[in-house]
Amino acid sequence: MSTTNFIFAVLAMAAVMIFFRVIPLLFFKGKIKNKFLNSFLAYVPYAVLTSMTFPEVFHSTSTVTSAVFGVIVAIVLSYFEQSLIVVALSSTASVFIVEQVMKFMAK
């Protein structure tokens, strides 16, 4: 991912987060009582961020195989409610280990 693409991605993510957080403040003066609208406004920014960043995971490593291993480790650890730092470091370590094993096996 080039630097300009990265900057545009970060700006787009920020715009989406700000848009969905500011719109309710501008149009709704009182507390929103509709449960569906509350959940929609709460979860849409995370869904959009995920849909924008998840595909890039598979292009950020030297092979798709190591990226898949990293995603699997991240999903499993997230399922077991590990902290963000544990998930990030473990998935990064698994990608590193898989790439080193693949380099060793290629020799």
Side-chain angles (χ1 to χ4, degrees):
M1 177 183 246
S2 69
T3 305
T4 55
N5 285 347
F6 178 75
I7 291 171
F8 285 131
V10 170
L11 291 175
M13 288 185 281
V16 167
M17 289 291 286
I18 290 170
F19 179 74
F20 282 104
R21 296 297 180 188
V22 170
I23 291 297
L25 292 174
L26 294 176
F27 292 111
F28 302 108
K29 300 298 178 194
K31 185 163 176 70
I32 301 171
K33 295 177 183 169
N34 186 335
K35 288 183 181 182
F36 174 77
L37 190 56
N38 269 332
S39 354
F40 177 78
L41 293 173
Y43 291 118
V44 165
Y46 301 112
V48 171
L49 283 171
T50 302
S51 67
M52 289 171 55
T53 57
F54 189 74
E56 286 299 319
V57 168
F58 299 104
H59 302 290
S60 62
T61 62
S62 61
T63 63
V64 175
T65 307
S66 62
V68 169
F69 274 97
V71 168
I72 290 170
V73 168
I75 290 172
V76 168
L77 290 175
S78 298
Y79 179 77
F80 290 111
E81 298 180 356
Q82 296 297 313
S83 68
L84 179 60
I85 191 73
V86 170
V87 172
L89 291 176
S90 299
S91 60
T92 303
S94 69
V95 168
F96 178 75
I97 291 168
V98 168
E99 286 188 359
Q100 295 306 313
V101 168
M102 289 175 67
K103 283 182 186 176
F104 180 75
M105 292 177 71
K107 289 183 182 182

